[in-house]
Amino acid sequence: MILVTGGTGLVGSHLLFKLISEGENVRAIYRRKHKLEEVKKVFAYFSDNPNAIYNAIDWVEADITDIPAMESAFVSINLVYHCAALVSFEPDKYNILKKINIEGTANVVNLCLTYHVKKLCYVSSIAALGAPKPSELFIDESTQWNKELDNSVYAITKYGAEIEVWRGVQEGLNAVIVNPGIIIGAGFWNAGGSGSLFKQVCKGMSHYTTGTTGFVDIWDVINAMTLLMKSDITNEKFVLVSENLTFKKFFTDVANQINVASPKKEAKQWLLSLAWRLDWLRSKLLGKRRKLSKQMAKSAVSKTRFSSDKIKTQLEFEFKPMEVSIAETAKLFRQDFDEN
C-alpha cells in the first residue's frame, strides 16, 4: 500500500488522482476536513466520476506533527510520498514552519524506518537548493547550500527537512528527493501557491518584476515522482524545472491566457525595498500578516536559473513546455471563474 502525506494539497491531490487511476492501493493523510472538497474538485477536472476516485482512497485524519495519530496511517505501508508542508515566507512564521516542515518530516522519516517502508519520496523545493558561485550559470543538485546567506524562513526549513531525509538514509532508509520550481497546476486558487498567482493576475496587476526563476507543470512533478519511486534510483535528489522564466513573461502569459490586461510597469528594486519596509511597519503597528518580506523582494529581482539535466539524463525525462502548462491551467481557471 502507498501512503501520501499532504493529500489535500496541490501536489498531493494530483498525485492521488494518478495513483488511483493506475489501480494502486492508496492511503492519504488529511489535516482539515473542509480541504477534502478541494480534492474532489481537482479530481473533477480530469474525471467524469470524481467521487469514485475519492472513495477509492483510504483517508486518515492526522497531523504529521502528531506521532500517535500518524502511526495508524503507516500500518501495511510499503511506499511513502511525503508531500505535506507549510508554505510561508513570513519571517514571524519560522517556529510553525520549523515544526511542520522539519519536525514533521523527521516524524515521517522515523515512522518509515520503524515500519520498514521500502522507499520514501520527499517533495522539497528549489528554495532549498544552494546559491551558485559567480562562475556558475545554473543551480543544480550539486550546488552547495550556504547558511550564511539571507535565506527565507521557508527555504531554511525545507533545507532542514532534507537533512532529516538524509539522516534517515544514513539509518537505512531508501529515499529520493525532488526539488520542483514554482509548480503550475489547477485548483487551490486561494491557497497561496501558483493557483493564487492566476487569481492575482485576474484581479489586475499594474507592476511586474525583472527576476527569473524556475517553473514546472504539476503533471511533470507527479510523473517524475512516480517514475523515481518505480526505478532502482535511491538516495539522490532531482531538480524539476521545465523552464526558467522572467516573472514579467510568466505574468504576461497568464494574463493573455485569461484575457486580462498584463502588467506594464516595472517594479524597480528601490520600490520593492521601500515596499517590504512599509509592509514590516504595517505588520508591527496594525498586527497584519506580512505580504512582502525582505527575502521575497530580493528574489523578485534575482535572476536565478536552474538545470534539470540530471533527471533528463537518468530517466530520459521530457518536460512540458510552460506555454502549454499555463494555457491548460488558465483554461481550468477560466472554467471555475466563469462558474462563479
Side-chain angles (χ1 to χ4, degrees):
M1 178 176 270
I2 298 172
L3 175 65
V4 176
T5 73
T8 57
L10 178 67
V11 174
S13 59
H14 285 75
L15 174 61
L16 288 172
F17 180 85
K18 179 177 176 63
L19 293 174
I20 295 299
S21 298
E22 293 180 346
E24 299 287 1
N25 193 12
V26 181
R27 180 178 296 150
I29 292 173
Y30 72 94
R31 190 166 61 90
R32 292 180 291 179
K33 195 168 186 178
H34 73 272
K35 295 284 286 183
L36 294 172
E37 293 303 316
E38 293 283 348
V39 177
K40 292 180 183 178
K41 192 170 186 178
V42 169
F43 293 169
Y45 291 142
F46 312 109
S47 171
D48 293 330
N49 193 359
N51 286 328
I53 296 173
Y54 176 86
N55 292 331
I57 299 166
D58 179 17
W59 290 98
V60 175
E61 183 177 5
D63 190 310
I64 60 172
T65 63
D66 184 351
I67 296 175
M70 287 278 287
E71 284 188 311
S72 63
F74 272 79
V75 174
S76 302
I77 293 298
N78 297 315
L79 303 175
V80 174
Y81 290 90
H82 180 30
C83 309
L86 175 62
V87 180
S88 175
F89 296 90
E90 300 174 68
D92 60 354
K93 295 291 190 294
Y94 173 72
N95 287 332
I96 185 64
L97 281 162
K98 180 181 176 183
K99 186 171 185 63
I100 294 173
N101 294 346
I102 299 179
E103 294 179 20
T105 299
N107 293 338
V108 170
V109 168
N110 291 339
L111 288 166
C112 283
L113 291 166
T114 299
Y115 286 87
H116 306 290
V117 168
K118 293 180 180 178
K119 198 171 184 180
L120 166 70
C121 176
Y122 173 58
V123 183
S124 186
S125 166
I126 55 171
L129 298 171
K133 297 177 182 178
S135 60
E136 297 174 335
L137 295 176
F138 295 94
I139 294 173
D140 62 16
E141 298 82 1
S142 65
T143 307
Q144 295 295 311
W145 173 264
N146 186 349
K147 65 180 181 180
E148 303 301 325
L149 295 179
D150 187 17
N151 298 295
S152 71
V153 288
Y154 175 68
I156 291 169
T157 58
K158 291 298 280 187
Y159 175 75
E162 288 191 14
I163 295 300
E164 290 298 332
V165 175
W166 296 131
R167 187 260 305 169
V169 167
Q170 291 296 315
E171 296 178 23
L173 178 65
N174 291 319
V176 289
I177 295 175
V178 293
N179 296 83
I182 296 178
I183 302 172
I184 305 305
F188 305 95
W189 310 117
N190 300 311
S194 66
S196 67
L197 298 178
F198 280 73
K199 191 170 183 180
Q200 186 178 346
V201 173
C202 186
K203 287 182 176 179
M205 293 180 63
S206 58
H207 289 75
Y208 63 86
T209 58
T210 57
T212 302
T213 194
F215 294 82
V216 64
D217 184 77
I218 181 63
W219 291 115
D220 283 340
V221 176
I222 302 307
N223 289 334
M225 290 167 62
T226 53
L227 284 171
L228 286 168
M229 288 292 270
K230 292 175 182 177
S231 74
D232 294 329
I233 297 171
T234 59
N235 310 336
E236 294 191 42
K237 65 189 296 182
F238 294 86
V239 175
L240 303 181
V241 166
S242 170
E243 295 179 44
N244 297 293
L245 302 177
T246 64
F247 290 111
K248 179 183 179 181
K249 177 168 175 53
F250 172 74
F251 287 124
T252 298
D253 288 351
V254 171
N256 291 338
Q257 287 294 332
I258 59 178
N259 300 317
V260 298
S262 59
K264 303 298 183 185
K265 301 176 183 178
E266 178 184 342
K268 302 287 188 179
Q269 188 166 357
W270 68 264
L271 181 61
L272 291 168
S273 296
L274 175 62
W276 78 255
R277 288 175 169 85
L278 290 175
D279 184 70
W280 174 86
L281 183 61
R282 169 179 168 273
S283 174
K284 291 296 182 182
L285 294 178
L286 303 177
K288 301 289 187 180
R289 291 185 62 176
R290 294 290 300 276
K291 294 183 178 179
L292 182 67
S293 68
K294 177 183 178 181
Q295 293 79 16
M296 290 173 68
K298 181 179 69 174
S299 65
V301 294
S302 298
K303 293 176 172 58
T304 311
R305 296 175 174 85
F306 301 86
S307 170
S308 291
D309 286 348
K310 182 177 178 180
I311 196 164
K312 290 177 182 177
T313 301
Q314 292 199 21
L315 291 181
E316 298 183 352
F317 195 86
E318 295 184 6
F319 287 91
K320 181 184 297 185
M322 289 315 303
E323 180 181 1
V324 176
S325 178
I326 292 171
E328 291 176 350
T329 305
K331 180 180 179 180
L332 294 172
F333 176 84
R334 292 195 309 269
Q335 174 182 307
D336 285 349
F337 184 77
D338 291 342
E339 287 177 356
N340 296 326

